[in-house]
Amino acid sequence: MFSTTSGPPATITLRNPRRRQRTGSDDSVAAQQLFKRLKRSGLTSETFKPLQNTPANGEVYSREPTPSVARDIDSHDPATQEHASLAIRKRGGKNLDRERREYNHDSNIELTKNNIYSVLRLATSPAHFQSHQGSAKWRGQLVPSIGYAIATTQTEALVWCYKQGANASDSSKPLIIRLPHASPDTKQPLPLAALVPSSPEPGLLVVMPVSGKVTYWETISIAATMDLDRQKQQAIHGTIVGLATGERATNITDAEPQGFLITIDSGKIAHLSIADFQGKASISAQILRNTSSHNGGVFGSLRAVFGGGGSLKEIAAVKASNTVHRGQRDCIIGTSRGLLQLWELSWSLTHSLKYEVDIKAKLVDSIHNLGVIPHDCENQYFGVLDLVFLPSSAMGQVRINSGHRSTMKLLVLTVTSSVSDSRYALHVVGIADGTIHVPIVHPVSCYTTPISPESSFKPTLLVPNKGQTAYVVFEEAVVLVSLEEVLNSPDSQLRTETTKAPDPFQDVIDFRKGKGYRVIACAIDIPEKSYKGSACTVMIQGYGLIKVSVAPLGEDLTFSDRATTTAQTKLEQAVFYGPQQSLLDFSGRPEIQFATEDIEDAAIRICRSITSSASKHFSTAGPSTEQHLQRRAIALSDLVKQLSKHYQPVRPSVRWRLLWEAEKMAAAKAIWRCYCDAVASKPKGEKVLLHELVECISELDKTENQPDQHETDPVRHWLVHDVWRLQILLPWVTKALVLLDEESHEDNIPMSSAYRARLISEAHDIQLMALQTAYSFRQDNASLYGLSEGTMIHDLLIEDGSGMPEIWTSTSLICEAVRKLAEYFQNFATDLDSHNSSDEEGSSAPQQLLEQTAQSNARLVDMSCKIHTERARLLQADNNLEVRAQGQELEKRSDRYRRDLLKGLVNIGLYHSAIKLGEKYGDMEALAEVLESEIQTSQDDLDNNLVAREETDDVRAKIALCQGFVDLYFVRYGGSWANAFFARFVDQGRISQLLVHGPKQRNHLTAFLRGHPECAAFSWINEVAVESDFALAADDLGRAQKQADTVWAKKIQLSISKLATLAAVTNEQRNEDSATLVIHHINCQVEVLDAQEQLYEYLKPTIRRALNDTPAKVDAVMEQYFKRFVNAKKALRSAMKINVKKIAEEKVLDVEDLVDTISLMDEDGLDPDSDFAAGRFLTAIKLVRSCMLDTGNVERWELLGKIIWRRCIIQDNWSKINRTEKKGDAQVEAETVGTALFKTLREGFKSNFWDDYPPFEPSSVLGSGTTFESLRASSRYDTASDNAIEIIAQELSIEDGVLQTCMREGRLEKWWRGIIDAARMSAWNEAARICEDNSRRRETERRFRDQMNREDEALWGGKRTDGVELGMDEEGDVKMGI
């Protein structure tokens, strides 16, 4: 695509070789000798070789020019000019050879470079020309065949040798030539100057554009003479004949041999010759005119175009072709309207028009056929800007038309302009036998900037000899277009009739705006035959010369590998070259756009190449590691600046990645400084931790040293190649300490305390400096990386962590490593203090080092808190629920870690630091623990006389200080501190001490107790004694009784709650209606407790007979009362064992568990004469009904009630009872009366309980609780697992099966009504008997009273002697009359 191989064309001799060399004045001879020396430093084999060691940052500059030369070019001081000439003349040949040997083209400055092209600033540019950025205009010319350049102003010209092999000192000193006939008027056009190649030095041709005067010197040494008279005498003068008034010469084109073509603004072309037929220098000029007989058709005359009287046409290009015959040459003239003329010129100034053709229509059609510009688009200008002959090496590669031989092939640059932009295109135009073909058109898509009307430089098209690359040079840009695929690819040869070529490589080399840089000349370089690339040199006013080189295509690359400009290439150019020079603009062009994903990927790849030193722009070895790290850090900064300024928006995740890599680079610099300090201070024979640390890292996690390449420094090697793996290095810090300790024990050489302390200190320095530097960098550069201030709290706050990668500073390994290192030193310091040990030979740890490390440990604890907080926040911001749960768990663990570390700081005497860190992170629990433990410990030491007498005051001051912090925090933090401080008492079981705090904490204490229901057992005391709020006291007691685990405690709290409620009503703190509900609820709970007490009293004999062991008591009760119904039921048996255990321990049973326990007891094990046995089922049913009324949950309690009824029914064998054959009524009645069902019914009838809560018939309780769905629907089993519910349903189904048997075989449905009536009758009979007994008792009492009264009357006459009246009271007792 870019490969060009062509040597320079044969030099055309402009002199007669037999002609004797002219001699001139002494100055002329001296100047000739000077330029012979300059000429010897021509092109060499090294000139066009690709640069290998050019510094990327442009640090190597050319030598400073002689001050006498760096002057204003418009100055006319003869003395200064003479001095400049003499300065050149003084150099001898020997010194020149030595300097030429020492000269290296690396003095050129590399402005940019990628895999396709490079741009160099040539060191051979004159210093004054480089720095001239004024408004004065320049005109220039480059002659690649001889390597000379000329730049002209209104009055003077600079001539110098710019070729690569020239000596830097000599070539930087241009010849200053005063131009004859020059006008100092800046409004006049600049003179036209051209260098004429000749031997041993070039000549100089000058044309005055207005007057048409022509001056020619055969050598520039003659033109550079200081004697103006001699300069004029030794010049050949002439005039362009036919130049009309008002016409001006605008351009000069080399048309060798011995000729030039002068372009005139009126559309004329003058053919200028500088030699006669004999080769003698002379000036002659003639206007080209068509004298042929062709006056019409396509090949008509150009008289109307270029004649004196015709309409003026704008000439776009004048190009001379290669010499066809000796003394003859063809040239082509093209107008902006697409009209081409081919002329044949000769030495004798004769000329003839070969043909004329209009290609505009073909060009326009080819543009429209591309679809880039619509056919009917109005208000557009189409014009030809420039054209070139395609080189001979490319001839024949594109067939113009089958059956015709290609006679001429051109590459034409066109523009289609609108109001907003301009579209440029390159057309391959073939003209064969009068036929025009445009087989290939390539639009220039990367550059659409319109041409400024004020521009003095016309866009120029350059194509090297092989024609693989086109250089389109604009005044402020150079566009590169690859022609390789267009011209030479097999695909293009098959595409003979198409107009759309494959998109080749294109790119723009843009100049910075506002600097005054503008192109004034350009030319294709002539490389050596061995060089396959191509290059062009561009002369830029105010900057100098630059060389744009296109590299040849490598053997391992294809054209598609370099078919497009990539985002990575553009970013690399901006990062590595943009800040070092002022010419090129890397901000990007709107025509070249990249997908956001491509930009992000490129940025990440470049960032990684910087942090790993994989980029070719960084060396991997050097004397200063600090500077190497700094250069890489600057490159990372330049990268993000380029992205922020020119490639927005970039995703936050990418910005974070770039920020983290920059943090690692900053941290690496800090680690390097720590390493240098450690190396400088380490004792002889001891190791440096960082060195050992790098060695410990696995080979998979670092770039290995290459010992065979003499890489022996692992630390520098890691800093060069593995900074991006810093998150792997830091976790190894603590591990390295442990490994070194183990290694010393294995070698039986224990480490001294001093050695270990130094290693621990280095470990603190590494982790602290790395992480602190990273967080400081993050805070300082947040805005640069597009992170708002709202995202940063404590250096980091993740507001939306969705899709965000793991933060390197808080990986799980780093969090663990930092925490363990902090603990490692705290344990080490504590051991030293407790043992008060020292090594032999006086090698104990230096106290100063321990104190410094202790201070570092406080900072490390701070860092541990920070990174744990950072990680927890990131996890909790994730969209994944599992990850969020991990973050919440980590937050809880982090609180525990922080408190342990703060406690460790207190243990090593840094309780002030612990308090500050507790304040920083708002950890009230940690502060409370630190302060309270310090106060308690110090007070205990004082009370137990463990403090030396001289330290007593200090300890008391310490207690006072801590107490002062406690009081201060009540004011500063309020409730959050109070909660943490009082919770400390609760956790330690010293809650009773809360009630003795003074009035300052009264409000906080009340708020704390009210906000902590677990403290309700003490809170009610505060409400009664301090707040006098009996209603809240009752509520607290209500909560406290729920927490009570013993029956007596619960019953007492319920009783006090009832009293508090009544007191609240009395004090109008609660209305009577609400108090009634509360008291009813309390009564229900007391009823349950009474039932449990009855059960306990019934089981007490069995419990007491067992061993004094709870399991034995449980086994005894289970053996006697729970065999029949629960032995074969695993779930129920397990539940009963738990319930019996609670009963034995007098623990509170849940009402449902209590009901189950009562209803599942075996009837056979009970005492039939006991009241509990007779009424146990009724007690259970009453409890169910009471709870139903209290809670309102009818379904739940109704299900339990049915289950109780079923168990009541199946207590007896109804099949046996139903078999009444051979039984008398007395026996049947006795069996019926002895059933649990009958007893329960009778007890209910006695108390009229069934009037409000009728008993369930047997059929209505069938199936109750026997399905999974019915149990799951009950709120009792809300928290039970499905498997547990299935087991319970199966076991209840067994009970239901027994009931079905009773109903089927025992005809329970038939017996039901009779049993109801018998139970009612039995209750009535018992009630009647009791009533009759009461009547008889009352009658007996009445008779007894009457008898006593009669006897008293008989004895006392109805009265006693003391006057007291005798008689009975209302209850039948004798009135004693006292």
Side-chain angles (χ1 to χ4, degrees):
M1 180 168 58
F2 298 99
S3 178
T4 57
T5 304
S6 179
T11 302
I12 301 175
T13 305
L14 299 184
R15 294 173 170 272
N16 188 341
R18 298 182 180 179
R19 189 161 175 259
R20 185 176 177 182
Q21 179 67 36
R22 255 184 217 185
T23 61
S25 64
D26 296 337
D27 290 339
S28 177
V29 173
Q32 291 177 9
Q33 292 175 352
L34 165 65
F35 276 92
K36 287 180 181 180
R37 292 196 301 270
L38 294 179
K39 190 66 179 179
R40 286 198 295 270
S41 59
L43 295 177
T44 68
S45 61
E46 302 295 327
T47 300
F48 293 98
K49 285 187 177 180
L51 301 180
Q52 300 297 329
N53 300 314
T54 303
N57 57 0
E59 293 179 354
V60 179
Y61 293 92
S62 61
R63 301 172 185 173
E64 291 295 331
T66 304
S68 60
V69 178
R71 61 182 180 84
D72 188 349
I73 190 172
D74 290 328
S75 174
H76 308 301
D77 186 359
T80 306
Q81 294 181 356
E82 182 68 22
H83 178 72
S85 181
L86 291 175
I88 299 174
R89 194 178 295 119
K90 285 181 181 179
R91 290 189 175 270
K94 183 175 181 180
N95 292 335
L96 184 63
D97 291 339
R98 184 179 69 251
E99 293 191 9
R100 182 162 58 246
R101 289 195 302 268
E102 294 174 353
Y103 171 75
N104 191 310
H105 63 264
D106 283 352
S107 59
N108 297 330
I109 301 174
E110 189 173 70
L111 301 181
T112 187
K113 184 178 182 180
N114 55 36
N115 294 332
I116 301 175
Y117 65 87
S118 63
V119 180
L120 295 178
R121 181 179 187 179
L122 299 183
T124 54
S125 302
H128 181 74
F129 180 73
Q130 293 180 20
S131 60
H132 190 86
Q133 296 179 336
S135 59
K137 294 183 179 180
W138 294 67
R139 186 190 296 273
Q141 183 200 26
L142 298 169
V143 186
S145 60
I146 58 175
Y148 275 84
I150 183 171
T152 60
T153 63
Q154 292 286 351
T155 59
E156 292 181 336
L158 288 176
V159 180
W160 73 95
C161 181
Y162 72 88
K163 59 185 177 181
Q164 287 289 321
N167 179 270
S169 296
D170 291 343
S171 60
S172 64
K173 300 175 182 178
L175 286 180
I176 303 175
I177 302 173
R178 177 70 180 271
L179 301 179
H181 314 297
S183 172
D185 186 1
T186 57
K187 295 182 180 180
Q188 295 293 324
L190 294 174
L192 305 178
L195 294 173
V196 181
S198 62
S199 178
E201 62 187 68
L204 176 61
L205 177 68
V206 178
V207 177
M208 292 296 132
V210 178
S211 63
K213 294 181 179 180
V214 181
T215 306
Y216 171 60
W217 295 275
E218 292 185 283
T219 62
I220 56 176
S221 58
I222 298 175
T225 181
M226 299 298 116
D227 190 333
L228 299 182
D229 292 333
R230 291 183 179 179
Q231 180 197 48
K232 184 175 181 180
Q233 292 174 0
Q234 294 177 1
I236 296 92
H237 302 278
T239 303
I240 301 176
V241 180
L243 192 64
T245 303
E247 292 181 335
R248 298 178 179 181
T250 59
N251 194 25
I252 184 169
T253 304
D254 187 5
E256 294 183 356
Q258 303 292 338
F260 293 87
L261 295 174
I262 309 299
T263 303
I264 304 173
D265 59 2
S266 62
K268 299 177 181 179
I269 300 294
H271 183 197
L272 177 67
S273 177
I274 58 174
D276 56 16
F277 295 102
Q278 298 179 355
K280 183 179 179 181
S282 65
I283 299 295
S284 56
Q286 186 176 3
I287 301 298
L288 296 185
R289 300 181 186 276
N290 183 14
T291 58
S292 64
S293 58
H294 300 286
N295 295 320
V298 177
F299 297 98
S301 174
L302 275 181
R303 182 181 304 275
V305 180
F306 301 106
S311 61
L312 301 181
K313 303 293 183 180
E314 183 181 354
I315 297 178
V318 177
K319 303 292 181 180
S321 66
N322 294 331
T323 302
V324 180
H325 302 291
R326 181 175 178 81
Q328 294 182 348
R329 192 167 190 176
D330 290 344
C331 78
I332 190 167
I333 303 172
T335 69
S336 59
R337 296 185 179 183
L339 190 65
L340 301 183
Q341 285 188 336
L342 184 64
W343 290 80
E344 184 180 279
L345 310 177
S346 67
W347 285 4
S348 60
L349 292 185
T350 59
H351 53 269
S352 63
L353 177 64
K354 298 179 68 174
Y355 60 80
E356 177 184 277
V357 61
D358 191 347
I359 63 172
K360 179 178 180 179
K362 291 287 185 179
L363 296 178
V364 172
D365 289 343
S366 65
I367 286 291
H368 288 161
N369 291 338
L370 289 176
V372 178
I373 301 174
H375 287 270
D376 56 351
C377 187
E378 299 179 356
N379 299 323
Q380 285 190 339
Y381 166 79
F382 178 85
V384 174
L385 297 178
D386 199 7
L387 58 86
V388 294
F389 288 99
L390 282 177
S392 58
S393 59
M395 294 295 289
Q397 297 297 326
V398 178
R399 295 186 60 191
I400 303 305
N401 192 6
S402 58
H404 295 280
R405 180 175 60 87
S406 176
T407 58
M408 183 170 61
K409 186 166 61 173
L410 305 172
L411 188 64
V412 181
L413 172 65
T414 65
V415 61
T416 306
S417 299
S418 63
V419 178
S420 58
D421 62 2
S422 296
R423 302 296 180 91
Y424 303 96
L426 298 178
H427 306 252
V428 176
V429 178
I431 303 175
D433 300 333
T435 304
I436 304 170
H437 287 273
V438 185
I440 294 175
V441 178
H442 185 75
V444 179
S445 59
C446 62
Y447 188 83
T448 59
T449 302
I451 302 171
S452 173
E454 301 176 356
S455 175
S456 59
F457 178 82
K458 291 185 177 181
T460 302
L461 178 61
L462 303 175
V463 178
N465 287 337
K466 274 207 162 184
Q468 283 89 359
T469 307
Y471 301 82
V472 184
V473 183
F474 294 89
E475 188 173 44
E476 294 183 341
V478 178
V479 177
L480 303 181
V481 179
S482 171
L483 303 178
E484 180 69 32
E485 188 172 1
V486 175
L487 297 177
N488 291 339
S489 66
D491 184 55
S492 65
Q493 298 181 25
L494 298 175
R495 197 166 35 269
T496 56
E497 297 299 331
T498 62
T499 58
K500 181 68 170 68
D503 292 337
F505 171 83
Q506 293 185 10
D507 202 2
V508 182
I509 302 172
D510 238 342
F511 302 158
R512 298 195 180 189
K513 306 301 185 289
K515 296 287 187 178
Y517 301 138
R518 65 184 189 89
V519 175
I520 60 174
C522 58
I524 286 291
D525 288 355
I526 303 175
E528 292 185 348
K529 292 183 179 180
S530 59
Y531 185 65
K532 297 182 179 180
S534 63
C536 78
T537 302
V538 181
M539 183 184 296
I540 302 173
Q541 179 178 336
Y543 192 80
L545 300 180
I546 65 170
K547 179 178 180 179
V548 182
S549 302
V550 177
L553 184 68
E555 296 179 357
D556 56 340
L557 298 176
T558 62
F559 298 121
S560 60
D561 293 334
R562 303 198 304 187
T564 57
T565 302
T566 64
Q568 182 170 350
T569 299
K570 285 297 182 183
L571 279 176
E572 285 179 336
Q573 288 178 317
V575 170
F576 297 118
Y577 296 101
Q580 283 79 27
Q581 47 84 28
S582 61
L583 175 66
L584 303 185
D585 183 5
F586 297 106
S587 61
R589 296 192 59 84
E591 301 89 348
I592 303 177
Q593 296 293 328
F594 303 103
T596 303
E597 293 78 8
D598 294 338
I599 296 171
E600 293 172 347
D601 292 343
I604 292 174
R605 286 195 298 269
I606 295 171
C607 182
R608 178 55 54 84
S609 71
I610 295 172
T611 54
S612 63
S613 296
S615 173
K616 61 184 178 181
H617 301 284
F618 300 106
S619 62
T620 56
S624 175
T625 303
E626 178 83 15
Q627 292 181 4
H628 182 269
L629 294 172
Q630 180 64 21
R631 285 196 295 269
R632 290 157 64 191
I634 292 174
L636 290 175
S637 176
D638 292 338
L639 172 61
V640 71
K641 289 177 181 177
Q642 185 72 11
L643 286 174
S644 301
K645 188 174 182 180
H646 303 294
Y647 294 98
Q648 291 286 5
V650 178
R651 287 179 299 168
S653 59
V654 176
R655 295 200 300 267
W656 278 110
R657 285 183 183 274
L658 298 178
L659 173 60
W660 294 338
E661 295 302 308
E663 291 172 2
K664 293 177 185 178
M665 189 59 63
K669 292 191 293 181
I671 291 175
W672 171 250
R673 289 191 290 269
C674 292
Y675 174 73
C676 293
D677 294 341
V679 170
S681 61
K682 81 175 185 67
K684 184 177 181 181
E686 293 186 0
K687 298 178 180 179
V688 178
L689 182 62
L690 185 59
H691 186 280
E692 302 302 318
L693 179 60
V694 175
E695 292 288 354
C696 289
I697 299 177
S698 170
E699 295 179 356
L700 300 177
D701 295 328
K702 66 181 178 182
T703 305
E704 277 294 301
N705 278 346
Q706 302 296 327
D708 55 336
Q709 299 180 9
H710 307 287
E711 293 179 350
T712 59
D713 190 341
V715 175
R716 284 181 169 85
H717 190 272
W718 186 91
L719 289 171
V720 169
H721 297 285
D722 294 315
V723 169
W724 61 281
R725 290 170 168 166
L726 183 57
Q727 72 276 12
I728 298 176
L729 176 97
L730 293 182
W732 273 95
V733 173
T734 310
K735 296 179 183 178
L737 289 175
V738 176
L739 290 175
L740 287 174
D741 194 14
E742 294 175 352
E743 181 182 336
S744 66
H745 286 292
E746 292 175 0
D747 297 339
N748 201 21
I749 308 176
M751 279 192 292
S752 66
S753 298
Y755 184 17
R756 181 175 298 176
R758 188 178 64 79
L759 291 177
I760 296 175
S761 177
E762 290 182 25
H764 277 67
D765 291 342
I766 291 173
Q767 284 195 345
L768 273 176
M769 292 303 295
L771 294 174
Q772 285 179 347
T773 302
Y775 279 107
S776 297
F777 185 92
R778 185 180 302 172
Q779 184 71 25
D780 296 340
N781 295 274
S783 58
L784 176 62
Y785 285 82
L787 305 173
S788 62
E789 295 181 358
T791 62
M792 309 295 290
I793 296 180
H794 283 323
D795 300 335
L796 180 65
L797 172 63
I798 305 301
E799 293 181 346
D800 182 11
S802 176
M804 188 174 183
E806 186 178 36
I807 305 176
W808 79 273
T809 51
S810 57
T811 64
S812 59
L813 293 177
I814 288 181
C815 289
E816 182 180 8
V818 173
R819 175 174 55 84
K820 286 188 174 180
L821 179 58
E823 294 173 348
Y824 189 91
F825 172 75
Q826 291 175 358
N827 296 334
F828 170 73
T830 303
D831 292 342
L832 281 181
D833 184 59
S834 61
H835 292 93
N836 194 20
S837 62
S838 61
D839 299 324
E840 297 180 1
E841 301 178 2
S843 57
S844 62
Q847 186 64 27
Q848 183 179 2
L849 179 61
L850 289 177
E851 292 176 357
Q852 292 176 353
T853 310
Q855 296 299 325
S856 297
N857 188 260
R859 296 196 299 273
L860 194 67
V861 171
D862 182 15
M863 184 58 63
S864 176
C865 298
K866 179 182 294 185
I867 61 180
H868 276 88
T869 302
E870 178 180 84
R871 180 166 183 81
R873 286 175 180 170
L874 176 64
L875 295 178
Q876 293 180 57
D878 198 277
N879 291 331
N880 190 306
L881 295 180
E882 294 183 2
V883 177
R884 286 186 182 179
Q886 294 175 8
Q888 294 171 357
E889 178 61 27
L890 177 61
E891 186 174 16
K892 296 177 182 178
R893 292 201 312 270
S894 299
D895 293 341
R896 295 197 299 270
Y897 294 153
R898 180 171 55 246
R899 289 160 197 164
D900 292 341
L901 291 174
L902 295 183
K903 189 185 301 182
L905 289 178
V906 174
N907 293 337
I908 62 176
L910 297 179
Y911 73 92
H912 281 291
S913 298
I915 292 174
K916 288 181 180 179
L917 289 177
E919 291 177 352
K920 177 178 180 180
Y921 291 98
D923 193 339
M924 300 296 105
E925 289 80 3
L927 285 173
E929 183 174 357
V930 169
L931 292 172
E932 195 277 333
S933 62
E934 279 297 300
I935 295 173
Q936 191 69 30
T937 302
S938 300
Q939 190 63 50
D940 291 344
D941 291 344
L942 288 176
D943 296 340
N944 297 323
N945 296 323
L946 300 177
V947 180
R949 180 174 300 177
E950 61 273 12
E951 297 179 358
T952 301
D953 293 339
D954 294 337
V955 174
R956 288 176 178 169
K958 180 180 179 181
I959 294 175
L961 178 63
C962 292
Q963 188 61 50
F965 277 116
V966 171
D967 296 337
L968 174 65
Y969 292 161
F970 275 108
V971 178
R972 179 183 296 176
Y973 300 114
S976 60
W977 164 251
N979 291 340
F981 183 70
F982 294 140
R984 176 76 177 166
F985 287 82
V986 175
D987 295 340
Q988 293 181 344
R990 297 186 292 125
I991 191 171
S992 59
Q993 297 181 15
L994 293 177
L995 303 178
V996 299
H997 278 82
K1000 291 183 179 179
Q1001 290 84 32
R1002 170 181 169 179
N1003 294 335
H1004 292 299
L1005 177 60
T1006 300
F1008 170 79
L1009 293 174
R1010 289 177 178 177
H1012 290 74
E1014 66 274 11
C1015 300
F1018 289 89
S1019 179
W1020 73 271
I1021 301 176
N1022 182 72
E1023 296 295 346
V1024 172
V1026 179
E1027 303 296 335
S1028 298
D1029 194 328
F1030 297 100
L1032 290 180
D1035 295 339
D1036 286 338
L1037 286 164
R1039 287 189 291 267
Q1041 59 87 19
K1042 295 179 181 178
Q1043 302 167 9
D1045 58 350
T1046 61
V1047 174
W1048 67 269
K1050 188 179 181 76
K1051 201 168 187 178
I1052 289 174
Q1053 288 171 343
L1054 285 172
S1055 301
I1056 300 176
S1057 176
K1058 187 174 182 180
L1059 292 174
T1061 302
L1062 295 174
V1065 173
T1066 303
N1067 288 275
E1068 298 182 353
Q1069 295 173 345
R1070 178 166 288 175
N1071 59 54
E1072 293 186 2
D1073 293 338
S1074 63
T1076 302
L1077 293 176
V1078 171
I1079 292 174
H1080 178 268
H1081 178 69
I1082 292 174
N1083 291 337
C1084 290
Q1085 291 179 295
V1086 171
E1087 184 180 353
V1088 173
L1089 295 176
D1090 289 341
Q1092 183 172 342
E1093 285 183 336
Q1094 293 175 14
L1095 177 60
Y1096 175 77
E1097 291 296 328
Y1098 185 80
L1099 299 177
K1100 184 188 293 185
T1102 305
I1103 294 173
R1104 289 185 174 180
R1105 284 195 299 269
L1107 298 175
N1108 191 19
D1109 179 57
T1110 300
K1113 296 177 181 179
V1114 172
D1115 292 340
V1117 174
M1118 293 294 295
E1119 180 66 24
Q1120 183 171 353
Y1121 299 105
F1122 296 94
K1123 292 194 300 183
R1124 177 183 172 189
F1125 289 101
V1126 300
N1127 266 352
K1129 302 170 184 175
K1130 182 178 179 180
L1132 289 177
R1133 180 174 178 79
S1134 176
M1136 288 303 102
K1137 291 185 73 173
I1138 295 173
N1139 294 345
V1140 170
K1141 182 176 182 293
K1142 289 183 178 181
I1143 293 172
E1145 295 175 347
E1146 298 187 71
K1147 299 292 181 66
V1148 177
L1149 270 181
D1150 181 79
V1151 62
E1152 290 168 316
D1153 292 336
L1154 178 61
V1155 168
D1156 278 340
T1157 304
I1158 293 174
S1159 62
L1160 285 173
M1161 296 176 69
D1162 297 340
E1163 189 74 17
D1164 297 339
L1166 300 176
D1167 182 5
D1169 297 330
S1170 66
D1171 294 337
F1172 174 78
R1176 64 186 180 106
F1177 282 104
L1178 181 62
T1179 298
I1181 293 172
K1182 284 183 177 180
L1183 294 178
V1184 170
R1185 181 174 180 271
S1186 178
C1187 293
M1188 181 190 301
L1189 296 176
D1190 188 40
T1191 62
N1193 192 339
V1194 178
E1195 293 79 6
R1196 176 174 180 172
W1197 298 107
E1198 184 174 313
L1199 174 63
L1200 183 59
K1202 290 181 178 181
I1203 293 174
I1204 294 172
W1205 266 112
R1206 182 171 62 201
R1207 289 172 179 169
C1208 177
I1209 294 172
I1210 65 177
Q1211 286 289 322
D1212 301 285
N1213 189 349
W1214 288 99
S1215 299
K1216 180 180 178 181
I1217 295 173
N1218 182 60
R1219 292 195 294 271
T1220 59
E1221 64 273 14
K1222 298 180 182 181
K1223 294 180 181 178
D1225 287 345
Q1227 182 180 356
V1228 172
E1229 184 178 352
E1231 291 178 352
T1232 304
V1233 171
T1235 62
L1237 175 61
F1238 184 88
K1239 295 176 182 179
T1240 302
L1241 290 171
R1242 183 179 59 190
E1243 293 299 321
F1245 282 123
K1246 286 181 180 180
S1247 60
N1248 297 323
F1249 179 75
W1250 306 126
D1251 294 345
D1252 298 325
Y1253 192 72
F1256 292 106
E1257 294 185 3
S1259 59
S1260 65
V1261 300
L1262 276 176
S1264 298
T1266 59
T1267 62
F1268 173 84
E1269 292 75 13
S1270 62
L1271 294 181
R1272 174 55 75 190
S1274 174
S1275 58
R1276 181 183 181 184
Y1277 301 101
D1278 285 343
T1279 59
S1281 64
D1282 293 347
N1283 184 50
I1285 293 177
E1286 288 284 358
I1287 294 174
I1288 294 173
Q1290 292 173 6
E1291 294 180 353
L1292 292 179
S1293 296
I1294 297 174
E1295 296 179 3
D1296 203 63
V1298 176
L1299 176 61
Q1300 292 176 8
T1301 302
C1302 293
M1303 295 179 65
R1304 184 177 64 253
E1305 298 180 2
R1307 297 191 305 158
L1308 194 56
E1309 289 286 347
K1310 301 292 185 181
W1311 283 81
W1312 178 253
R1313 180 50 53 191
I1315 295 172
I1316 292 288
D1317 293 341
R1320 182 185 295 110
M1321 184 60 66
S1322 176
W1324 286 353
N1325 290 338
E1326 184 173 354
R1329 180 182 58 79
I1330 293 173
C1331 183
E1332 184 179 352
D1333 290 344
N1334 290 335
S1335 297
R1336 285 195 296 268
R1337 182 180 64 78
R1338 287 193 294 271
E1339 180 63 23
T1340 301
E1341 291 175 351
R1342 185 185 62 77
R1343 290 176 181 176
F1344 177 75
R1345 285 196 303 271
D1346 292 343
Q1347 180 64 29
M1348 291 297 293
N1349 289 333
R1350 285 194 298 270
E1351 291 179 356
D1352 287 341
E1353 289 177 357
L1355 180 61
W1356 302 101
K1359 290 185 179 181
R1360 290 176 50 175
T1361 57
D1362 53 7
V1364 178
E1365 185 176 353
L1366 300 179
M1368 292 284 193
D1369 59 15
E1370 294 179 355
E1371 295 181 1
D1373 294 330
V1374 179
K1375 293 181 179 180
M1376 301 304 296
I1378 299 177

